[in-house]
């Protein structure tokens, strides 16, 4: 689902290089921990199907998921804001984005996610959350503001591979009646949560 074959093979190579790098690292924090290719494909599908214009990524790392999102955003005339706390990783991501001419679709911001979210006033159509899982619960009240329009989608990776680490976060999302959610067994497991339209919800409640 990548828009041209040269780009597709470049992005596949990036994945292979990162995967080999990660296999050689015993320290988890030294790994780039790219999202799985099948998950990246689903991300791209969501951006395209929503014709998303405003996309937020929390956790750029080496930019594998960013490359997929950027390729989709090019076709929706959208734009990605991608955050990472690690500038070195973002510089690597930047080189890859430039190499395949997707850099104009992305603004890379080197900042702690919580600090960014606290100051943010922008609404996003799609948010990918793929950072350090122990902080996700702290992000939720801010993520909700980012996703304040009906149809806004939050995607969270690793919810099956690291289920115990995200169980409190999933409980928070599940207990919020402004959002519907689903856990999709693709790759490491993706949580998809969508902001509901309040009118639809009221009408639905009346039927019960
Ligand atoms: C799992 S990796 C992201 C992988 C990337 N989405 C991909 O698929 O290519 C997680 C990234 O989150 C970043 N990160 C960790 N804590 C963060 C924080 N508090 N704010 C912003 N980024 C953070 C790490 O530096 C790391 O690069």
């Amino acid at each position: 689902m990548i828009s041209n074959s040269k780009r597709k093979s470049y992005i596949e190579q990036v994945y292979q290089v990162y995967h080999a790098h990660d296999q050689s690292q015993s320290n988890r924090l030294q790994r780039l921990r790219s999202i799985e290719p099948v998950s990246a494909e689903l991300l791209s599908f969501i951006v395209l199907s929503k014709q998303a214009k405003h996309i937020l990524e929390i956790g750029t790392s080496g930019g594998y998921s960013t490359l997929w999102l950027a390729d989709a955003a090019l076709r929706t005339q959208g734009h990605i804001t991608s955050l990472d706390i690690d500038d070195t990783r973002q510089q690597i991501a930047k080189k890859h984005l430039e190499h395949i001419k997707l850099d104009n679709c992305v603004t890379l911001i080197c900042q702690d996610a919580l600090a960014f979210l606290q100051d943010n006033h922008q609404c996003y159509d799609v948010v990918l959350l793929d950072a350090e899982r122990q902080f996700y619960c702290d992000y939720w009240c801010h993520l909700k503001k980012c996703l304040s329009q009906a149809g806004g989608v939050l995607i969270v990776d690793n919810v099956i591979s690291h289920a115990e680490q995200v169980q409190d976060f999933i409980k928070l999302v599940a207990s919020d009646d402004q959002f519907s959610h689903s856990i999709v067994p693709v790759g490491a497991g993706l949580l998809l949560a969508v902001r509901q339209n309040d009118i639809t919800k009221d009408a639905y409640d009346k039927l019960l």
Side-chain angles (χ1 to χ4, degrees), residues 15 18 28-29 31-36 40 43 57-67 69 82-87 89-90 109-116 128-136 139 157-158:
Y15 181 80
Y18 286 178
R28 189 184 78 88
L29 294 176
R31 297 186 200 133
L32 292 156
R33 293 173 286 140
S34 307
I35 203 162
E36 292 192 22
L43 288 183
E57 175 178 57
I58 303 178
T60 320
S61 190
Y64 176 70
S65 51
T66 324
L67 292 165
L69 290 171
S82 183
L83 305 180
D84 205 291
I85 205 160
D86 182 337
D87 182 54
R89 288 174 183 220
Q90 282 199 324
I109 298 180
C110 182
Q111 191 178 5
D112 170 64
L114 185 61
F116 175 89
L128 169 63
L129 176 57
D130 189 20
E132 288 300 321
R133 290 174 284 277
Q134 72 262 36
F135 302 119
Y136 289 3
Y139 298 163
D157 193 29
N158 298 109

Side-chain angles (χ1 to χ4, degrees), residues 45-54 72 75-78 125:
F45 180 87
I46 292 168
V47 169
L48 292 172
S49 61
K50 288 189 59 59
Q51 287 295 295
K53 299 281 187 272
H54 303 288
R75 286 176 279 165
T76 65
Q77 296 180 312
D125 306 310

Side-chain angles (χ1 to χ4, degrees), residues 76-137:
T76 65
Q77 296 180 312
H79 194 84
I80 296 146
T81 300
S82 183
L83 305 180
D84 205 291
I85 205 160
D86 182 337
D87 182 54
T88 309
R89 288 174 183 220
Q90 282 199 324
Q91 291 310 314
I92 296 168
K94 184 169 184 269
K95 271 196 203 156
H96 291 310
L97 287 162
E98 285 170 353
H99 190 88
I100 54 174
K101 299 186 171 42
L102 290 173
D103 50 310
N104 285 338
C105 301
V106 182
T107 300
L108 294 168
I109 298 180
C110 182
Q111 191 178 5
D112 170 64
L114 185 61
F116 175 89
L117 289 168
Q118 282 169 338
D119 289 346
N120 174 63
H121 296 291
Q122 168 79 52
C123 281
Y124 295 93
D125 306 310
V126 174
V127 176
L128 169 63
L129 176 57
D130 189 20
E132 288 300 321
R133 290 174 284 277
Q134 72 262 36
F135 302 119
Y136 289 3
C137 289

Side-chain angles (χ1 to χ4, degrees), residues 100-184:
I100 54 174
K101 299 186 171 42
L102 290 173
D103 50 310
N104 285 338
C105 301
V106 182
T107 300
L108 294 168
I109 298 180
C110 182
Q111 191 178 5
D112 170 64
L114 185 61
F116 175 89
L117 289 168
Q118 282 169 338
D119 289 346
N120 174 63
H121 296 291
Q122 168 79 52
C123 281
Y124 295 93
D125 306 310
V126 174
V127 176
L128 169 63
L129 176 57
D130 189 20
E132 288 300 321
R133 290 174 284 277
Q134 72 262 36
F135 302 119
Y136 289 3
C137 289
D138 300 336
Y139 298 163
W140 177 237
C141 62
H142 305 292
L143 288 169
K144 283 177 62 170
K145 285 186 200 148
C146 288
L147 294 162
S148 61
Q149 285 171 4
V153 175
L154 172 68
I155 306 159
V156 186
D157 193 29
N158 298 109
V159 300
I160 294 177
S161 62
H162 295 77
E164 71 296 344
Q165 295 178 11
V166 289
Q167 61 185 6
D168 290 345
F169 180 73
I170 292 178
K171 275 186 202 153
L172 263 183
V173 176
S175 66
D176 194 318
D177 62 9
Q178 292 173 318
F179 284 80
S180 286
H181 76 285
S182 181
I183 292 173
V184 183

